[in-house]
């Protein structure tokens, strides 16, 4: 294989920095940015890679100056089968109307409960206030 954007090759990690890893592929060195190491957030690249590791990389791009951008996470895509979500619009509308009918009942119950709790708090504060003597 040759170094062309889109190709997946095997390379060797030759150097690790805080911002990524330099990987040698076909006699040339490219950079795997820290954001292209794994699907999850990578805080410390050294927890994922070490020098002389053999890694599979995808060539992202090669710029005019010959800088090679590589990706490990794109070379190893997760095999997730993503299916479109099917929405039953009719039953969703029924659920929505049922929940709005109950909203008034829910709200009145909430107001009643909160009013009772507020009364309990006020009584408790008055009771505590009576037990204290003013000093001064």
């Amino acid at each position: 294989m040759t170094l062309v954007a889109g190709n997946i090759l095997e390379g060797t990690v030759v150097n690790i920095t805080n911002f990524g890893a330099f990987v040698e592929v076909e006699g040339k060195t490219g950079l795997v940015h820290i954001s292209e190491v794994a699907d999850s957030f990578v805080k410390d690249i050294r927890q994922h890679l070490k020098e002389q590791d053999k890694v599979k990389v995808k060539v992202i791009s090669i710029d005019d100056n010959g800088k090679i951008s590589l990706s490990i996470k794109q070379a190893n895509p997760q095999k997730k089968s993503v299916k479109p979500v099917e929405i039953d619009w009719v039953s969703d509308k029924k659920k929505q109307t049922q929940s709005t009918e109950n909203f008034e009942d829910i709200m009145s119950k909430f107001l009643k409960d909160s009013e009772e709790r507020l009364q309990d708090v006020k009584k408790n504060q008055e009771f505590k206030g009576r037990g204290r003597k003013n000093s001064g």
Side-chain angles (χ1 to χ4, degrees):
M1 284 231 152
T2 57
L3 282 174
V4 179
N7 285 353
I8 295 177
L9 308 164
E10 187 168 305
T12 305
V13 177
V14 292
N15 190 15
I16 295 177
T17 66
N18 289 337
F19 56 86
F22 290 95
V23 177
E24 186 177 304
V25 283
E26 297 194 357
K28 298 196 176 193
T29 304
L31 173 67
V32 177
H33 188 267
I34 193 167
S35 65
E36 292 293 328
V37 171
D39 286 327
S40 59
F41 177 75
V42 177
K43 185 173 183 179
D44 182 7
I45 194 169
R46 288 168 181 82
Q47 293 179 343
H48 293 266
L49 297 171
K50 61 181 185 292
E51 289 186 18
Q52 302 307 312
D53 277 355
K54 299 282 185 201
V55 291
K56 202 193 285 190
V57 292
K58 179 177 181 178
V59 180
I60 299 174
S61 66
I62 302 172
D63 72 6
D64 296 337
N65 298 328
K67 290 183 181 177
I68 304 167
S69 295
L70 304 169
S71 172
I72 293 173
K73 75 178 181 182
Q74 290 182 35
N76 302 305
Q78 298 293 327
K79 291 171 178 64
K80 297 177 185 172
S81 60
V82 179
K83 294 181 182 177
V85 177
E86 291 186 24
I87 300 173
D88 184 357
W89 294 103
V90 176
S91 68
D92 278 359
K93 285 193 177 198
K94 287 179 184 173
K95 288 178 188 173
Q96 191 176 24
T97 56
Q98 287 173 352
S99 64
T100 54
E101 290 170 4
N102 295 332
F103 179 75
E104 294 296 327
D105 295 336
I106 293 168
M107 208 50 195
S108 64
K109 183 175 186 259
F110 169 78
L111 288 172
K112 181 182 171 203
D113 289 347
S114 61
E115 187 63 35
E116 288 174 0
R117 289 182 181 165
L118 187 61
Q119 292 298 328
D120 287 345
V121 168
K122 286 181 179 177
K123 287 178 187 175
N124 198 10
Q125 286 176 341
E126 288 174 10
F127 179 74
K128 284 183 179 178
R130 285 187 212 143
R132 293 190 182 140
K133 294 181 180 175
N134 285 343
S135 58

